[in-house]
Amino acid sequence: MAESDFAQPDRLAIGVIVAPHGTRGEVRMQIWTHFPEHLAEIDAVYLGDEERPRRLRRIGTSRGHATLSLQGITDRESAEELRGTVVRIDRTQAAPLEEGEFYHFQLIGLNVETEAGEALGTVAEIIETGANDVYVVRDAEGNETLIPALKDVVPVIDPEAGKMIVRPLNYWG
C-alpha cells in the first residue's frame, strides 16, 4: 500500500452526541477520547462533516460523558437532531503524547516485520482490550496475526519510517 493510503486525518473524533440535555440546546456526548481531561482546553469542535467549527462551552464531564453547549444550538429540538453525530477536533488540538506513545491513526498502515526481517503485513486495526491494545496485522492474502501492544513484543514503532518491528511471543518456541 502506498503511504498516501494512510494519510493522517485532519480531524480526530472525540465522541458522539447521544442525547439532548435540558431545554436550552445542550447535548450529552459519549466521550471516546482517552484524554477527557483535555476537553477543558478545546474551544471549538466540528459536528459530523461540517466544514466550519462551532464554538464550544463545556458544562461538565461525568462517567464517560460530557455535557456541551454549542454555538448555534439553542433549543431541545435542535439538540435532538444532533443525536448520533460524531464530534471532532482539529488534529492540532489533540492532546500531546509522551515519548513512545502514538495515536491509533499513526499506527494503522504501518508495515510490520519480525526482528529477523520477515514481513508480516500491515497494521489493519487496533483492538482495545482494556489491559493492552492488540494490533491486527493483515498480510496481502488477508491472513491476520494478532500482536499484543507490549514493549517486549513490539520493541520498535517508527511511524516516520512507516514500520513496526515485532517479536511475537508465539513466533518462537
Side-chain angles (χ1 to χ4, degrees):
M1 290 190 171
E3 186 177 319
S4 62
D5 292 341
F6 296 100
Q8 293 187 357
D10 291 331
R11 298 183 187 141
L12 304 176
I14 61 168
V16 63
I17 296 173
V18 294
H21 181 83
T23 60
R24 293 180 288 173
E26 292 90 0
V27 295
R28 188 162 170 81
M29 178 184 80
Q30 180 182 359
I31 298 172
W32 289 347
T33 176
H34 291 280
F35 306 100
E37 66 282 357
H38 185 66
L39 292 175
E41 299 175 31
I42 297 169
D43 60 2
V45 296
Y46 295 86
L47 299 180
D49 294 324
E50 287 183 342
E51 290 295 319
R52 300 186 61 125
R54 292 178 185 251
R55 290 178 113 9
L56 169 69
R57 179 174 57 92
R58 265 134 333 274
I59 304 298
T61 60
S62 173
R63 298 184 196 157
H65 288 85
T67 304
L68 312 174
S69 178
L70 300 160
Q71 173 188 1
I73 308 300
T74 58
D75 58 50
R76 186 170 181 88
E77 292 76 30
S78 297
E80 178 64 46
E81 291 174 9
L82 294 175
R83 188 185 296 261
T85 300
V86 174
V87 179
R88 294 181 170 83
I89 60 169
D90 188 273
R91 183 167 44 110
T92 61
Q93 293 185 54
L97 298 178
E98 298 292 324
E99 177 82 24
E101 292 182 327
F102 303 94
Y103 285 106
H104 287 184
F105 74 84
Q106 295 175 293
L107 304 177
I108 300 294
L110 291 182
N111 292 312
V112 180
E113 61 185 57
T114 67
E115 289 176 310
E118 179 186 355
L120 298 178
T122 60
V123 178
E125 67 180 283
I126 300 170
I127 301 169
E128 297 183 48
T129 67
N132 57 268
D133 289 349
V134 175
Y135 304 132
V136 178
V137 178
R138 195 168 295 130
D139 66 17
E141 289 79 40
N143 300 312
E144 292 183 347
T145 303
L146 302 178
I147 308 288
L150 301 170
K151 186 68 175 165
D152 289 343
V153 179
V154 186
V156 177
I157 298 175
D158 189 349
E160 289 187 19
K163 71 178 180 179
M164 179 184 288
I165 307 291
V166 301
R167 67 170 77 104
L169 298 175
N170 64 348
Y171 228 72
W172 293 270

